[in-house]
Amino acid sequence: MPRIYLKKVILSKQVRRADFLRFMPARQKKELLKQASGLRGKRVAHINAVADGGGVAEILASLIPYLRSLGVESDWYSINPDVGEKFFKITNKIHNALQGAPVKINNREWADYKQVSRRIAAELDKIDCDVLAVNDPQILLAGHYAHLNKHKIYFSHIDTSSVFKPVWKKLVPVIKLYHRIVFSNRDFVNGSLPGRKVKIFTPAIDPLSPKQKIVPQKEARLYLKKHGGIPTRCPLIAQISRFDIWKNPAGVIQSFRIVQNTYPNAQLVLVGFNTAKDNPTARVVYKDIAAVASKSRDIFLFFDPKGKDVLEFTVMAQNAADIVVQNSTKEGFGLVVTEAMWKRQAVIGGPASGIRKQIRNGKNGFIVKSPEEMAQKIIFLLSRPTERKRLGNSAKKTVLENFLFPRLVLDHLKLYRSCLK
Ligand code: UDP
């Protein structure tokens, strides 16, 4: 029977284990190889909603080649977009409800969700695997119906700490039946889930991904001049993240104005490409910021991805800046912070909990609580290149030891083995 509801994601990327083992401390490396050899001959199937776009697809695109390189047979399937808008409309409501939005799902919609989930499950049953890894709530029910005797893991990539109860009540019995439930952050775990099943996998960046490319600053500045019109010779401060109120770009502009009293030739770049198909909130935030920034020739905003190579521009901005700031007041983790730290940037972060997990104030970056404090740290660092270097080197070490993909792969291997034991 041809697959209708699921499609296999074909990955052209191949990884050699030597490419990433070099990033691992000796003990971690030994442990990784041991866990991998214990899984030889076992098959893992990962399922998620969409094959491209979004953080989950990005994780799987890196994870699967790593697992394969370690001899763990792994495949990735996603829902065929042809399954229909109706299904995705319902699952989008479920997704929002799990993050706390009050949504209405009527009986007809629940029935449709169940019916399509049964069909997805029938196709899942035909996939040969020892462990079934379900990512995203879209497949929660299908994963529940499928492979009744197999080990199943639910990866919740979202914050379920304050769910919309009427929807949660329907789904929580299903979630509880999974063998393990994985979150990226302890704060995201809903209190009604059984603690013994819950695991936390801290996010990580893939050092082999083009996103993490290290480029000499001079080259990156030339790129920004060519593709963004940013002069090369002035001190450059950058925040690289979506235009979102919780990322607080307005606060960055406020502190930049203070910095300009000491460094009148400083430049600020805010990169937040609007790559989501439909994100009206980002547009509103961007418009407000653009209105404020229009008074200054030294502030450069990048929002519309048209005509830009978003990946390359983002990477170049991370490499080009003299100082990277991430002024978030709310942040689950903040991969942009990790990415900049990996590029040896001295990052000045806002007080959000995700940023505090990565930056230890004064050791590998700074944490600030106000625009004035941010300005003070920017001025301090602009005048002290050696201090910038010290913090940047320490930041790189922090990422290497804690937030790099091989560590996440080890988390996965240990989990699969614990399921199979
Ligand atoms: N990003 C990008 N271009 C941009 C802004 C962000 O490629 O203009 C990427 C960034 O490199 C990171 C991700 O989007 O990998 C954002 O992840 P993060 O955890 O920092 O924040 P989120 O947007 O998920 O809240």
Side-chain angles (χ1 to χ4, degrees), residues 55-301:
V56 178
E58 200 176 313
I59 294 170
L60 293 177
S62 287
L63 178 69
I64 303 295
Y66 271 78
L67 292 173
R68 287 177 180 165
S69 79
L70 289 161
V72 181
E73 294 188 38
S74 319
D75 283 310
W76 170 15
Y77 297 84
S78 66
I79 301 179
N80 189 342
D82 297 342
V83 85
E85 233 174 75
K86 201 159 79 178
F87 176 75
F88 285 110
K89 224 167 135 187
I90 301 167
T91 55
N92 188 252
K93 282 192 194 180
I94 292 175
H95 180 270
N96 291 338
L98 292 181
Q99 296 200 98
V103 299
K104 272 214 160 69
I105 303 176
N106 62 34
N107 289 341
R108 179 75 249 148
E109 288 173 310
W110 279 118
D112 284 342
Y113 176 55
K114 278 185 192 163
Q115 192 190 35
V116 176
S117 295
R118 286 241 178 248
R119 293 189 176 148
I120 297 173
E123 291 182 16
L124 280 176
D125 275 333
K126 296 199 168 58
I127 294 170
D128 177 23
C129 65
D130 300 284
V131 175
L132 181 69
V134 168
N135 297 266
D136 298 323
Q138 286 88 338
I139 314 112
L140 198 45
L141 196 58
H144 168 69
Y145 290 146
H147 286 294
L148 292 178
N149 300 318
K150 295 273 164 66
H151 300 275
K152 296 190 278 192
I153 306 167
Y154 174 53
F155 288 86
S156 169
H157 297 273
I158 56 175
D159 182 351
T160 64
S161 58
S162 48
V163 289
F164 179 55
K165 292 235 169 73
V167 172
W168 179 248
K169 263 195 345 223
K170 288 201 179 247
L171 292 175
V172 72
V174 170
I175 300 177
K176 282 181 175 172
L177 285 171
Y178 277 81
H179 291 90
R180 300 280 188 276
I181 309 155
V182 181
F183 288 86
S184 61
N185 188 326
R186 189 153 300 281
D187 299 339
F188 293 176
V189 182
N190 187 282
S192 61
L193 293 173
R196 68 193 160 81
K197 289 195 173 186
V198 171
K199 297 265 172 230
I200 309 297
F201 287 4
T202 305
I205 56 167
D206 180 1
L208 305 180
S209 143
K211 238 188 194 182
Q212 312 315 337
K213 198 168 141 193
I214 315 284
V215 180
Q217 190 185 27
K218 222 169 163 185
E219 185 187 328
R221 291 291 304 246
L222 285 173
Y223 180 95
L224 288 195
K225 184 169 183 209
K226 185 165 174 213
H227 297 272
I230 303 169
T232 47
R233 290 185 182 277
C234 314
L236 186 66
I237 298 138
Q239 172 157 303
I240 298 129
S241 66
R242 289 182 292 117
F243 283 90
D244 180 297
I245 50 161
W246 305 115
K247 315 274 188 193
N248 198 5
V252 177
I253 292 183
Q254 243 179 299
S255 57
F256 178 67
R257 300 241 189 264
I258 304 172
V259 171
Q260 279 187 308
N261 294 331
T262 312
Y263 285 94
N265 64 340
Q267 318 266 351
L268 173 67
V269 58
L270 299 177
V271 181
F273 286 113
N274 187 33
T275 45
K277 280 192 190 75
D278 176 31
N279 191 348
T281 329
R283 198 166 287 281
V284 171
V285 176
Y286 168 70
K287 278 197 170 151
D288 288 349
I289 296 294
V292 179
S294 66
K295 294 184 196 98
S296 170
R297 284 172 42 238
D298 308 311
I299 304 178
F300 298 81
L301 307 185

Side-chain angles (χ1 to χ4, degrees), residues 211 241-242 247 271-273 310 314 318 331 334-336 339:
K211 238 188 194 182
S241 66
R242 289 182 292 117
K247 315 274 188 193
V271 181
F273 286 113
V310 168
T314 305
Q318 288 174 333
E331 192 75 73
L335 286 170
V336 281
E339 290 166 3

